[in-house]
């Protein structure tokens, strides 16, 4: 299912995007508008930024609302994308209680809204529900290996509980749900201080500063460019009601953190040196999605390779550095 096939699904529909000013949410708003939808972005701007959606404000089909999804929301829409939640350890560990509330209370409020409106709702879940996996690559039927009391649990368990709520609302209230498990995604508009590996490495390389690798660098991740990820979300929402997920969305091409650092140094022409620090608690050693289900159900797979995506991401941060827009 390509963009041309789901365009009719969104044309003239009113779509709510929670976390709409965030990294992923802002690209989702853009693509929904391009598909002919009317879009309501809801964000409390904890990690989202007005700058991410500033270019959309003049569009008469776009509306931005400042609102925290842990509070009830009463609007009239045809579909809901629930993307509201801090997604990097730096941000979700800043206030772990609030992070759990966003995942759990936010899910309850958005599911309640979907129940009242009888509209479909898509949950932006995460590969973190698999924890530090003992199965590789991770398939959707794997239940995970999560520390429920560790420093990452506010996010990991919050997202796991949100998935529980989604499926219980479907079983108990017949809410039309979609659950997408997002693996590492990168691209322009990433927050420069979110602690995520791609933005950290790119900014350090552009500044010629040491690049810090936690652990040996042998741990792996699979990096999906933002455009590919958002296309998958749009396609999943447009599937028939019996397609609920959970469904893995990410790039199955595995890369070690050490190789990623070396690649970014090469692409930026940087003189940065590598420095090593101890790995943080519960940091997954391997992360790679099995996307067989996405390939068969959505006819989706990533199209943008790591080098191409990194060049676009580097160009974004390079421009912001030139403009003096990046704070140390």
């Amino acid at each position: 299912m390509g963009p041309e096939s789901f365009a009719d699904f969104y044309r003239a529909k009113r779509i709510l995007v929670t976390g709409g000013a965030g990294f992923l949410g802002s690209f989702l708003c853009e693509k929904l508008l391009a598909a002919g939808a009317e879009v309501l972005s809801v964000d409390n701007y904890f990690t989202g930024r007005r700058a991410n959606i500033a270019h959309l404000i003049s569009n008469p089909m776009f509306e931005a609302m400042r609102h925290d999804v842990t509070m009830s929301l009463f609007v009239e829409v045809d579909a809901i994308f629930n993307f509201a939640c801090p997604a990097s350890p730096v941000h979700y560990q800043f206030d772990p209680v609030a992070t759990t509330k966003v995942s759990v209370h936010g899910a309850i409020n958005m599911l309640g809204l979907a129940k009242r409106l009888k509209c479909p709702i898509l949950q932006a879940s995460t590969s973190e529900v698999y924890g530090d996996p003992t199965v590789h690559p991770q398939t959707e039927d794997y239940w995970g290996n999560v520390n429920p009391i560790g420093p990452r649990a506010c996010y990991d368990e919050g997202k796991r509980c949100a998935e529980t709520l989604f499926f219980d609302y479907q079983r108990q209230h017949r809410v039309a749900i979609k659950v997408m498990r997002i693996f590492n995604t990168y691209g322009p508009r990433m927050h420069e201080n979110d602690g995520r590996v791609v933005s950290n490495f790119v900014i350090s390389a552009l500044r010629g500063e040491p690049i810090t690798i936690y652990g040996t660098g042998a741990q792996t991740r699979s990096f999906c460019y933002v455009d590919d990820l958002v296309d998958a979300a749009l396609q999943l929402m447009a599937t028939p009601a019996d397609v609920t997920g959970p469904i893995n969305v990410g790039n199955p091409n595995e890369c070690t953190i050490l190789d990623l650092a070396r690649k970014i140094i090469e692409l930026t022409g940087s003189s940065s040196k590598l420095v090593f620090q101890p790995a943080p608690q519960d940091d997954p050693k391997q992360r790679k999605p099995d996307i067989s289900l996405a390939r068969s159900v959505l006819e989706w797979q990533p199209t943008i390779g790591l080098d191409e995506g990194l060049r676009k991401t580097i160009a974004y941060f390079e421009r912001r550095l030139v403009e003096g827009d990046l704070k140390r």
Side-chain angles (χ1 to χ4, degrees):
M1 183 190 297
E4 66 286 346
S5 62
F6 62 64
D8 287 343
F9 179 86
Y10 295 104
R11 191 171 294 113
K13 280 192 170 69
R14 295 164 297 175
I15 311 294
L16 167 61
V17 179
T18 71
F23 163 48
L24 297 179
S26 61
F27 281 99
L28 179 58
C29 288
E30 268 185 2
K31 292 205 172 193
L32 284 165
L33 289 167
E38 181 179 343
V39 178
L40 171 60
S41 163
V42 168
D43 206 299
N44 69 350
Y45 300 106
F46 173 58
T47 57
R49 306 180 195 215
R50 292 175 184 82
N52 288 343
I53 55 172
H55 61 297
L56 304 177
I57 297 297
S58 61
N59 189 324
M61 300 294 283
F62 180 76
E63 180 182 358
M65 176 190 294
R66 184 182 186 122
H67 180 82
D68 190 323
V69 296
T70 62
M71 309 296 289
S72 296
L73 179 65
F74 299 96
V75 294
E76 302 297 321
V77 295
D78 299 307
I80 302 167
F81 286 88
N82 188 34
F83 274 65
C85 190
S88 71
V90 168
H91 288 146
Y92 66 62
Q93 290 173 1
F94 175 77
D95 188 341
V97 172
T99 296
T100 304
K101 285 181 177 179
V102 170
S103 287
V104 178
H105 292 181
I108 291 170
N109 286 331
M110 291 305 106
L111 284 162
L113 180 61
K115 176 188 171 187
R116 179 177 72 83
L117 297 175
K118 295 181 172 58
C119 75
I121 178 169
L122 184 147
Q123 167 69 357
S125 191
T126 172
S127 60
E128 297 297 335
V129 300
Y130 298 124
D132 187 4
T134 57
V135 170
H136 190 77
Q138 292 80 58
T139 55
E140 289 88 352
D141 57 0
Y142 174 54
W143 289 354
N145 178 38
V146 176
N147 177 359
I149 59 171
R152 301 170 69 101
C154 59
Y155 184 70
D156 300 3
E157 295 288 31
K159 288 288 192 177
R160 285 163 68 94
C161 184
E163 287 197 12
T164 300
L165 286 162
F166 265 68
F167 280 91
D168 282 339
Y169 264 77
Q170 185 223 21
R171 285 185 286 257
Q172 188 171 341
H173 301 299
R174 300 294 184 262
V175 174
I177 66 164
K178 313 284 183 183
V179 175
M180 180 173 72
R181 290 178 178 165
I182 299 172
F183 283 69
N184 293 67
T185 306
Y186 70 100
R189 299 185 201 153
M190 294 182 80
H191 199 295
E192 66 272 13
N193 294 321
D194 68 2
R196 287 195 251 196
V197 64
V198 171
S199 51
N200 271 4
F201 286 5
V202 168
I203 292 169
S204 294
L206 289 173
R207 287 174 170 163
E209 297 172 349
I211 291 178
T212 301
I213 293 177
Y214 295 96
T216 64
Q219 63 270 44
T220 66
R221 297 294 183 269
S222 303
F223 298 100
C224 184
Y225 189 69
V226 60
D227 283 350
D228 283 331
L229 186 285
V230 171
D231 282 347
L234 292 168
Q235 290 171 218
L236 178 56
M237 178 65 92
T239 54
D242 61 346
V243 179
T244 61
I247 187 164
N248 290 337
V249 174
N251 194 317
N253 295 322
E254 206 171 359
C255 176
T256 69
I257 298 301
L258 188 58
D259 285 344
L260 177 70
R262 289 169 174 160
K263 185 180 289 290
I264 288 172
I265 288 172
E266 177 186 350
L267 291 173
T268 56
S270 176
S271 59
S272 292
K273 305 298 182 187
L274 303 180
V275 296
F276 294 83
Q277 297 288 342
Q281 183 180 342
D282 301 328
D283 186 43
K285 299 174 187 65
Q286 289 182 304
R287 187 58 60 73
K288 175 183 176 179
D290 182 315
I291 62 167
S292 302
L293 191 58
R295 285 192 174 109
S296 63
V297 173
L298 305 180
E299 299 178 15
W300 174 91
Q301 63 182 5
T303 61
I304 299 172
L306 185 57
D307 281 24
E308 180 185 354
L310 285 175
R311 288 190 183 96
K312 294 180 179 183
T313 307
I314 289 165
Y316 166 78
F317 282 114
E318 200 165 31
R319 183 173 66 253
R320 290 191 61 197
L321 277 171
V322 169
E323 294 170 353
D325 191 34
L326 291 183
K327 298 177 182 178
R328 289 184 179 269

